[in-house]
């Protein structure tokens, strides 16, 4: 019978743990005190140590044998994903941060019994009560290990697939850097002697101009590298790079990187590919999402139902990716420590809270901080941690800026959005401009409390997954846009923002207002047909235009909701563009009377009169931006852009010659004389439309791939620009083309989303 193994003494157990990364720097007094809590545990092969989801009540050090790590799958089975060998700690992060077990641990079936040193949670409590500084030291060590684990996940994305030796050598050259919000990491004009990988936080690149202006040129988010280009070329830094919030990075200096290059030349190829890819993205791809992770939700007034709002908001975010709702009350309750959420930098509990929050940021795609109703330590922390501030107000409240808002803005350095809550949709929003005027708000959202769809739209915008439909100008050919809208509605694809130019602006306005009134696509088509069925019969003295616009203005007002409807008051975000003749620049209409913006966007020069805005003459946006996908891309924040073009590159190609000259009398004679040779030539309005849009059509060719996810050039060139009588036929062409182009894209998109879901799980 084999002799039973002698259990190690307390001194032997202490000797084991004093060599681990967690305890090796603690002083002897603290270690001797901790040794009182140490116990020895033996596991037979296959025996379980703990299960996934169990409460974290102890940390273990493996001193003999081997452990296997398993995670639960959706079908209830387990999958082994790793192992723990002698000298490795198990479960230290869960004990320190209060998290439940993230995996199940078993002794290896094929090995000898596993021997472990158990360090109970009470041991950390003893450290906290006798030596708070030592606890903070342990917490900072755990936090660094958490960052290192994240670095382990990020390195292959930067350096390519790595074997263990290469991985360890690269990690050994990394120097940890932590900077506070506002600190400058890289100074414009400084030598390019290092590169960094961002682990936690957010950086902003800013260029300082000679006239003193500072321009933000980009943001760096976790997992991205910064500074490698200057390090390779030996040139000076081209921009300042500063921390938007408290940030953790790893630094590779040039000497260390040169050592890696000498030993692993393939690494330089991988980094070079990253630099080239970044340049290509800047040149050819559409704008990326701002990659928001931490969101601070702030009430404008004390009576805002912030907890209920945040719960619904987070639940909706969870349908897009993992999200968690954190409030001071939830933090205190989860960690079981009263007022730990209010810990400031001088409090020994601060490091425990910081590590716990770091853990959540690593685990969840979105961390939503619900602030307190005052500027408490928790509120200040939430604002400092945030990538985005979301102010929440009730539309019926006083729109004046509050003192609390002002104090939050004094802390915040990131972009702010505004949510206005409405009980339902029985009343059209009014007076939104009074909310926007006193605030620096990037976007605002009207959210009806009784509509889940409004919360879903908000979540998609914040997550960078909003869907924008951009509709171009082209006269009657624009009825093809309704075929696209019909297809998207049939497939359940949301339209989170809609906008465009000329007929595209009108269709967008009809959708934005009609959708709220419950109109179906058929009703929208009918209303549009009526607006454009009679305006071109009202000829006028051709001093500034061929046609008067009185009837057109009347009909636009009637069908988009009247004179009082403002763009900023719409439930669905809308914009349109026009051309400023006075200043030769594009005007984007995001506020003001809806009918007026739609009218000027479709004001073809010489066909209908120009419109005066702020003292400048404005006409159809076709002159400068007939399909404003650049505006849509910016307003979607990197979401999905679907662009529909009804102005073909090749048009008017079937006209016969008519000799060396032509007059209007020749055209009239050929029409009224049945025996005269017919002259094929487009009418003046058609020529004016094509002349106006041709520059924008050519300009569009260079940016379509960069700025859109789906671009459709509708095959409508055989329809006349003024062929409003063929509206139904044009709609059908648009529908057929949308079916042909959009359905395969939607299928591919769905497969990609499923693939991403599998990889995340």
């Amino acid at each position: 019978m084999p002799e039973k193994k002698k259990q190690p003494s307390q001194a032997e157990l202490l000797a084991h743990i004093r060599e681990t990364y967690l305890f090796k720097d603690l002083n002897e007094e603290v270690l001797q005190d901790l040794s009182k809590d140490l116990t020895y545990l033996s596991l037979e092969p296959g025996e379980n140590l703990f299960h996934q989801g169990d409460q974290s009540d102890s940390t273990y050090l493996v001193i003999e044998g081997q452990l296997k790590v398993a995670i639960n799958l959706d079908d209830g089975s387990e999958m082994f994903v790793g192992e723990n060998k002698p000298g490795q700690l198990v479960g230290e992060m869960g004990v320190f941060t209060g998290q439940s077990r993230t995996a199940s641990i078993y002794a290896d079936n094929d090995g000898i019994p596993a021997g472990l040193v158990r360090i109970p949670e009470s041991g950390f409590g003893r450290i906290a009560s006798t030596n708070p500084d030592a606890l903070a030291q342990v917490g900072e060590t755990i936090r660094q290990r958490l960052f290192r684990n994240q670095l382990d996940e990020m390195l292959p994305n930067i350096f390519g697939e790595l074997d263990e030796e290469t991985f360890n050598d690269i990690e050994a050259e990394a120097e940890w850097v932590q900077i506070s919000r506002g600190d400058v990491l890289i100074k414009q004009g400084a030598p390019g002697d290092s590169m960094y990988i961002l682990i936690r936080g957010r950086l902003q690149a800013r260029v300082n101009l000679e006239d003193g202006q500072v321009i933000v040129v980009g943001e760096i988010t976790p997992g991205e590298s910064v500074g490698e280009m200057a390090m390779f070329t030996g040139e000076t830094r081209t921009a300042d790079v500063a921390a938007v919030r408290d940030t953790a990075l790893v630094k590779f200096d040039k000497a260390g990187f040169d050592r890696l290059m000498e030993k692993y030349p393939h690494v330089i190829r991988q980094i070079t590919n990253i630099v080239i890819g970044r340049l290509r993205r800047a040149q050819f791809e559409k704008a990326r999402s701002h990659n928001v992770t931490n969101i601070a939700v702030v009430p404008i007034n004390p009576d805002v139902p912030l907890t209920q709002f945040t719960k619904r908001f987070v639940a909706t975010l969870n349908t897009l990716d993992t999200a968690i709702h954190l409030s001071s009350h939830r933090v205190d309750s989860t960690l079981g420590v009263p007022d730990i959420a209010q810990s400031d930098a001088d409090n020994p509990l601060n490091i425990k809270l910081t590590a716990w929050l770091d853990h959540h940021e690593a685990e969840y795609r979105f961390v939503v901080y619900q602030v307190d109703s005052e500027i408490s330590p928790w509120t200040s922390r939430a604002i400092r941690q945030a990538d985005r501030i979301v102010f929440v107000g009730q539309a019926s409240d006083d729109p004046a800026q509050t003192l609390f808002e002002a104090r939050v803005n004094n802390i915040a350095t990131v972009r702010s959005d505004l949510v206005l809550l409405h009980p339902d949709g029985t009343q059209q929003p009014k007076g939104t401009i009074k909310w926007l005027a006193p605030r620096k708000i990037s976007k605002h959202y009207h959210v009806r409390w009784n509509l889940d769809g409004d919360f879903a739209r908000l979540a998609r915008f914040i997550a960078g997954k909003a869907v924008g439909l951009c509709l171009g100008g082209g006269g009657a050919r624009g009825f093809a846009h309704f075929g696209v809208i019909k297809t998207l509605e049939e497939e359940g694809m949301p339209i989170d923002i809609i906008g465009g130019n000329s007929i595209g602006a009108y269709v967008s306005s009809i959708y934005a207002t009609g959708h709220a009134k419950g109109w179906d696509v058929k009703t929208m088509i009918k209303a549009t047909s009526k607006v454009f069925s009679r305006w071109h019969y009202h000829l006028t003295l051709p001093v500034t235009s061929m046609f008067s616009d009185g009837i057109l203005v009347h009909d636009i007002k009637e069908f988009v909701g009247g004179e009082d409807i403002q763009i900023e008051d719409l439930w669905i975000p809308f914009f349109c563009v026009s051309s400023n003749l006075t200043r030769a620049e594009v005007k984007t209409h995001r506020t003001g009377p809806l009918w007026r913006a739609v009218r000027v966007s479709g004001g073809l020069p010489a066909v209908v009169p120009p419109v005066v805005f702020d003292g400048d003459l404005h006409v159809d946006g076709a002159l400068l931006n007939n399909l404003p996908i650049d505006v849509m891309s910016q307003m979607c924040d990197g979401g999905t852009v679907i662009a529909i073009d009804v102005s073909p590159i090749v048009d008017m190609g079937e006209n016969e010659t008519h000799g060396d000259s032509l007059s209007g009398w020749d055209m009239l004679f050929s029409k009224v004389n049945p025996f005269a040779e017919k002259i094929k030539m487009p009418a003046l309005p058609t020529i004016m439309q094509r002349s106006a849009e041709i520059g924008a059509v050519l300009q569009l060719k260079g940016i379509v791939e960069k700025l859109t996810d789906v671009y459709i050039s509708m095959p409508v060139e055989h329809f006349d620009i003024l062929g409003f009588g063929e509206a139904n036929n044009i709609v059908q062409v648009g529908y057929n083309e949308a079916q042909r182009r959009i359905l395969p894209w939607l299928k591919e998109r769905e497969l990609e989303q499923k693939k991403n879901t599998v990889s995340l799980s």
Side-chain angles (χ1 to χ4, degrees), residues 298-302 304 391-393 398 400 402 404-405 418-419 435 439:
V298 180
I300 289 179
N301 286 303
V304 170
F391 287 102
V392 183
D398 185 343
T402 63
F404 180 63
E405 272 185 279
L418 172 67
V419 171
W435 287 88
R439 298 173 172 87

Side-chain angles (χ1 to χ4, degrees), residues 479 506 526-540 546-559 607-608 722-725:
F479 275 87
Y506 182 78
K526 185 177 179 181
T528 305
S529 297
K530 182 172 182 181
V531 169
F532 291 99
S533 64
R534 54 182 186 154
W535 70 271
H536 51 293
Y537 295 123
H538 293 263
L539 290 166
T540 188
M546 294 171 54
F547 302 94
S548 63
D549 65 345
I551 293 297
L552 181 63
V553 167
H554 173 274
D555 289 346
I556 290 175
K557 287 180 180 179
E558 179 181 352
F559 288 104
V607 177
V608 292
L722 297 180
F724 294 100

Side-chain angles (χ1 to χ4, degrees), residues 482-536:
F482 286 114
V484 177
I485 292 172
K486 183 180 179 183
T487 296
L488 293 175
E489 288 196 343
E490 288 176 350
E491 297 302 317
M493 185 73 172
I495 300 174
D496 295 314
I497 177 172
I498 191 166
N501 173 62
S502 197
I503 185 71
Y506 182 78
V507 172
S508 297
S509 70
I510 279 289
Y511 178 82
T513 55
H515 189 269
K517 292 184 283 190
W519 286 6
D520 57 16
V521 175
K522 187 178 293 186
T523 304
M524 297 179 195
I525 294 170
K526 185 177 179 181
T528 305
S529 297
K530 182 172 182 181
V531 169
F532 291 99
S533 64
R534 54 182 186 154
W535 70 271
H536 51 293

Side-chain angles (χ1 to χ4, degrees), residues 233-262:
T233 63
E235 298 175 348
T236 58
R237 306 294 193 184
T238 58
D240 285 350
V241 177
V244 177
R245 61 183 178 89
D246 295 350
T247 296
L249 314 97
V250 290
K251 174 184 177 181
F252 295 91
D253 62 26
K254 193 172 190 313
F257 206 84
D258 287 345
R259 288 191 290 271
L260 292 173
M261 295 305 100
E262 185 176 347

Side-chain angles (χ1 to χ4, degrees), residues 462-476:
I462 298 297
K465 296 184 178 182
V467 179
L469 181 60
C470 187
L471 307 178

